[in-house]
């Protein structure tokens, strides 16, 4: 049977990334509290393709993922990256997992417990030297109370849900839980899945005692990550679903500690 | 050239709706203030198909839309429904337009003006008797201040953006603007595209003076539509992006005034 | 502490549905082959609210879900519906789970195995008489080869991925796997997560030997469900991402066997 | 009235981007064929914020956009960037417009005409030296016929719709139409809004005579842009909705002609 993919390229130009997007599979993720947890992931896998080959063998990506079947961790992702490189005979491999990570949250007054899900992206890259690089991104919803609205109004202040996205490259292992903690202390208040009336009173008062612009939130996280010894690069984004507008407020800080000589 | 669509159906079963989805085109919409406005629409067109025909001629839907080129109104949509029925030799036709409708909003204190866009859906249906029926749906973002949070907290109250969806069937012509007005007076405050500091103070204080649960908002709209002489059926939905949670609060009332003998 | 929700409604109008939307949680789902499987769900829970009460107690929905912690099945969902009704003191409860269900697929020629995920929605409703009603919806992607294009062209025919949605009400228990099987035999070919070259040859030839319009696909499923003793109501929708257009082709059949006296 | 935004930052850290996201407005776009066309845009506007200021004045972005009211072009966007910088007292401004651009398409056999919409993004950036930089991205759907499937199958080949995204930085003015033309000749066939039977035969046969992997498509575009004198940087992405899978095939080439000394 002909192998068209192995025939010479019609236009001999190297391709940066070629592969598959949007595979879904159940996964087990390493978890600080309980050892591991079940989730579902959407996965993209790509490699580079040199100028002379016409096509990549797409089914090999799916086989690599099928054959992998490990708990998601930096170690297991390293294995998968290496396996994809080998199967595809490639110099560089990129893999992205998108999944929800669940944490038990405790309400601040009545100590009621409930799970909350955080959208995560884990990107791994392995180059010619087989050295893996990782980028972890977590979306953490927080509450923001507007400092301006509070200062100028006789009563109240507008508040809203804001999506805080933290993307990091690490120079040593850091639990995902640590970044969620940094995020949740950076706004006016964390958000919770379950709040009884006593909790709602607590959250409202705590949030009003700590009003924060998107600028404040992004700097609070930036400051914490700048001083975090495990983080070598970060990007923090806040998008606040302003309750007085139909549009959003946005702020972003990106910082490369290595490039800036900040270590 | 063979006309496979006209061949007998392999499984002779009537089909309720067959057609095309997701056509995009620039449109002109009738507008109360300025006569008309430009927008962009996404359009679906379908008809019924009797048991004995194998297929519909999909290109005829596109031709009908291309040939139509009128200002979007109930009258022009009636023409399009009739034309689709004729071209497709059908008993029933359904058409849906999804578009953004723009209104000049005036800020409450400084009277600053700015356009705000509202997502709309206009559905038309024409049956064997050529009588058209319409359903109009508008999404209006509003602000809600939580009455419970306000009552139990020493200071503040959580607020958030809420999406209010009004769907109506009318027994006489009513401007879209009227439904937007009903929606915007049903929450704690309307939202605005442009607010200067004086406006923000006004909105914050006005909203805090009028806290509203999703239940209150849906009933306020329900009450107004129940008593509106132009409305024969309605469905009101509110989905509030709670600032203290990652999930939403939701309420819905659907009411058929004709079926309930309420006229 | 004040209970504002229990105060009299400002506008005394009954509300059809009030509750929470978009909770996420890990779930275990009953599975024909392996007994059970892990997945992740997004959940909505609502109840009716009588005219005289101002508000629903939203945290009770979250507590009901937290307390439930069972394997997802009709039996366990019945318990959850009953519990929600009790906690909220409601006459009617509605619950919707949205999740991905995984099945091991075997490629047609090389018998290579791989998981494929199907998007599902399970809706449960319990009314005043405590009798539950369920609606199950599954999205199954299939391949369609255009019969018209094949008949009129000297070579080839355009094909594409089509999303087939089957929604059913059942009068007795039917495995989800059965509906997936009905769906996958209704198009020109099933789609697969993993296909080696021999499989790709098989799928291409099989699909070209069985061209199908969206009208054919919807009727094939309709015919199977009409004759399925476990199904009392169904709605079948096909949306085909036409490879020769930027828009989609669509067909839909909805049929109530009880109302039509077809039992 | 207090101006909290002007107070000193609590954490004195420079912010890369702060502003508003998701404003919608009707726009007029420069158009090669007809001079101009009406569309609708979603707009983001951001600036940098120095370490010592606490907050940005978000309403000024909205005022700048309201005050602008020009036909969208590189010249008018330059004015808007400059105005945003001035109003916000910023060193750097970023603006992004997302809109649908419509072109009259002519079917290949019967010469039937119809509008087709292309999703576009225009990003503008102006730095301290007031020099603007632009990035234009266009999404063009094309048809791909699989060369492998065609070569190994006795009959047929699977085809599908693929989304081709071209992002470019230009060193001189190039009409958007040119990039659409490059994109539409890079796949197995362009897609069309309206095709009569004669056209469908033409498109099917033409596409089967020119099978193309995502690797071929991305290289065809890459080759054309590499040799285009108006383009200084480009990124080409193809995502093909494989009709035999539920996942997509993907390829990407990014190339900086200036950095690579290719001019």
């Amino acid at each position: 049977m002909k192998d068209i993919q192995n025939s010479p390229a019609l236009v001999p130009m190297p391709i940066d990334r070629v592969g598959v997007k949007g595979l879904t599979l159940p996964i087990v993720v390493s978890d600080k509290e309980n050892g591991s947890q079940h989730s579902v992931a959407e996965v993209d896998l790509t490699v580079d393709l040199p100028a002379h080959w016409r096509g990549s063998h797409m089914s090999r990506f799916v086989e690599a993922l099928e054959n992998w079947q490990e708990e998601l961790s930096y170690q297991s992702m390293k294995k998968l990256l290496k396996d994809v490189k080998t199967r595809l005979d490639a110099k560089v491999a990129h893999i992205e997992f998108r999944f929800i990570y669940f944490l038990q949250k405790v309400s601040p007054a009545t100590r009621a417990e409930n799970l909350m899900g955080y959208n995560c992206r884990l990107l791994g890259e392995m180059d010619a030297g087989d050295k893996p690089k990782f980028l972890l991104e977590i979306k953490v919803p927080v509450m923001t109370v507007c400092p301006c609205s509070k200062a100028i109004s006789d009563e109240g202040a507008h508040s809203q849900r804001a999506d805080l996205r933290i993307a990091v490259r690490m120079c040593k292992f850091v639990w995902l839980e640590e970044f969620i903690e940094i995020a949740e202390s950076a706004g006016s208040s964390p958000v919770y899945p379950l709040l009884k009336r006593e909790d709602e009173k607590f959250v409202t008062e705590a949030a009003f005692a700590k009003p924060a612009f998107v600028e404040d939130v992004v700097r609070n996280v930036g400051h914490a990550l700048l001083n975090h010894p495990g983080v070598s690069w970060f990007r923090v984004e806040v998008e606040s679903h302003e309750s007085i507008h139909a549009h959003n407020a946005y702020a972003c800080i990106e910082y490369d500690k290595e490039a800036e000589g900040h270590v």
Side-chain angles (χ1 to χ4, degrees), chain A residues 1-8 54-57 59-60:
Chain A
M1 201 171 276
K2 275 193 220 169
D3 188 348
I4 301 285
Q5 282 86 345
N6 271 346
S7 60
R54 180 160 182 202
S56 194
H57 290 86
S59 63
R60 296 184 189 169

Side-chain angles (χ1 to χ4, degrees), chain A residues 30 34 50 94 128 159 206 221 260:
Chain A
S30 293
N34 307 302
H94 289 88
S159 63
V221 176
E260 303 287 337

Side-chain angles (χ1 to χ4, degrees), chain A residues 20 30 42 66 76 87 92 178 181 194 201 209 221 234-235 255:
Chain A
V20 294
S30 293
E42 203 178 75
E66 166 73 11
S76 71
R87 283 175 192 258
V92 184
E178 268 192 54
E181 216 178 290
L194 176 57
K201 175 181 163 62
V221 176
F234 65 84
R235 184 182 59 230
Y255 197 85

Side-chain angles (χ1 to χ4, degrees), chain A residues 34-187:
Chain A
N34 307 302
S36 69
Q37 64 174 263
H38 290 273
S39 191
V40 164
E42 203 178 75
V43 187
D44 303 341
L45 307 105
T46 57
V47 294
D48 65 311
L49 189 73
H52 55 275
W53 280 352
R54 180 160 182 202
S56 194
H57 290 86
M58 299 290 188
S59 63
R60 296 184 189 169
F61 292 102
V62 185
E63 286 174 317
L65 193 61
E66 166 73 11
N67 188 63
W68 174 63
Q69 301 217 343
E70 298 207 19
E71 199 170 300
L72 182 63
S73 69
Y74 296 105
Q75 276 314 308
S76 71
M77 194 143 167
K78 189 178 161 181
K79 273 199 223 170
L80 181 56
L81 282 161
K82 177 72 185 151
D83 187 40
V84 166
K85 275 187 58 179
T86 307
R87 283 175 192 258
L88 275 297
D89 198 5
K91 279 212 288 282
V92 184
H94 289 88
I95 298 176
E96 175 172 340
F97 278 80
R98 294 179 289 278
F99 59 99
I100 299 183
Y101 186 78
F102 293 95
L103 275 188
Q104 198 72 25
K105 296 275 294 178
V106 182
S107 75
T110 70
R111 318 302 298 168
E113 298 204 2
N114 210 319
L115 281 181
M116 189 159 128
Y118 299 85
N119 285 289
C120 299
R121 292 168 67 215
L122 179 59
L123 290 81
E125 177 184 346
M126 184 177 277
D127 62 13
D130 283 355
K131 200 175 147 52
K133 288 202 296 184
F134 296 103
L135 189 155
L136 175 68
E137 190 183 84
I138 315 158
K139 191 178 94 174
V140 180
V142 299
M143 182 184 179
T144 58
V145 171
C146 178
C148 169
S149 166
K150 191 186 171 195
I152 62 180
S153 305
D154 292 343
E155 194 200 12
H158 68 84
S159 63
Q160 49 272 319
R161 198 192 297 161
D163 286 324
L164 177 41
R165 269 190 186 79
I166 296 183
V168 285
R169 291 189 188 277
M170 289 170 248
C171 41
K172 59 175 196 174
F173 178 79
V174 183
W175 282 104
L176 211 146
E177 283 81 350
E178 268 192 54
F179 299 114
I180 294 177
E181 216 178 290
I182 288 172
E184 295 192 334
S185 59

